Amino acid sequence: MRKRLTNGLILILPLSIMVSCSINPAAKIQGVYEVNKDSLSSSLQKEIDEESAFAAGLLNVAVKNAMIEFEIKGDSINGILFFAGEATIVNSSIIERNDSLIINIGESEACLIPTNTGLSYRGIGSKTSIILDRTERTELSLETLEAIESQKIVLKEKEEFEQNLGKWQQGNYVDEFGDKTGDGFAYCLVRGNAENSISTASDVYVKTMVEDNRLSFQIFNSSISTKESFPDSEFGLVKFKLPDGTVKSEKFFFYNNCAYEDENAVLYNYMLQNDGVIKVFIDLSTASDYYSDKYQFEIQRNNLTDILISLGK
């Protein structure tokens, strides 16, 4: 009796393993894989001008700092793909499609191809393959885990940033020591676009502030690292289009790379009393013949009244 049970288990175990392998397309590639940087460098070198020493130098730095490491466990893959300053967290199931192993990378897909030493990774539609060597580890490295957590924080901050675009918030004035003075102001950040006589349209961010019952505008580049340059100590006109289609103009004073609404505060007073999107157009040539930059963006009252009340204004 015991012998028959033992023989039965011996037969059942291989069968269960075979069934598991047939159900899980990734059964044969379990483990941790990391990028082969020599192969990565060689593949990318073919795509750049061999005579460009500058491009080659940038490529070498990018490859040196690259972090591409995946862990395949069960029918899922997780890890990080960091290259040239861009990071993508990988967390996907692995599916079989047309005899290929497919994973999701952000909003796109990639294909995994088993090799003698590991895997070949290639984005769908891409001509470049990334060679991944199989390691002896069974878990992602500590460095990779820390990079993933760091990227999660970045993604959360980016999500919160996007959610707050167009919403009025409370800012605080600080003294020369960086300490809050107790006085505050209302501000909001919106996305806009810019163009001039020598460049095509580009994204910018516009910071609108309410100070002394008037509006002021500061415009930053797409990474919010640098202020756009304005004429200094000059008056110019700012146009705005109301929700009903009416177009008006108002005098603004340009100073220290900011645009300040005049004492009539036509735009501010309208926004404070009305809902709806207001389209704003700033043409720096109205303030100086030496500038051709033009900016377009939208603002609205939204939650401004609540912020002003919280500020006691």
Side-chain angles (χ1 to χ4, degrees), residues 248-308:
K248 295 186 177 183
S249 296
E250 184 178 9
K251 185 185 294 185
F252 271 68
F253 183 62
F254 293 87
Y255 174 72
N256 196 26
N257 293 330
C258 294
Y260 297 92
E261 193 176 22
D262 73 2
E263 63 273 8
N264 294 319
V266 175
L267 176 54
Y268 172 67
N269 287 323
Y270 177 88
M271 183 179 66
L272 194 61
Q273 300 170 23
N274 298 272
D275 289 319
V277 174
I278 303 170
K279 297 181 178 180
V280 181
F281 178 73
I282 298 177
D283 183 351
L284 296 186
S285 67
T286 65
S288 171
D289 293 335
Y290 297 101
Y291 287 79
S292 62
D293 306 83
K294 299 177 177 63
Y295 304 95
Q296 296 183 56
F297 55 95
E298 297 177 349
I299 58 175
Q300 57 183 314
R301 182 172 62 173
N302 207 336
N303 62 323
L304 175 59
T305 303
D306 295 334
I307 297 297
L308 293 176

Side-chain angles (χ1 to χ4, degrees), residues 96-115:
E96 189 171 15
R97 185 192 304 157
N98 299 327
D99 296 327
S100 297
L101 300 178
I102 306 297
I103 62 173
N104 291 317
I105 302 292
E107 297 180 357
S108 59
E109 293 182 328
C111 177
L112 299 177
I113 302 173
T115 67

Side-chain angles (χ1 to χ4, degrees), residues 156-167:
K156 183 178 180 180
E157 291 175 345
K158 183 178 180 181
E159 182 181 0
E160 292 175 351
F161 173 79
E162 291 290 337
Q163 290 174 347
N164 286 326
L165 281 178
K167 293 181 180 179

Side-chain angles (χ1 to χ4, degrees), residues 195-199 292-293:
E195 62 178 46
N196 57 40
S197 59
I198 60 174
S199 66
S292 62
D293 306 83

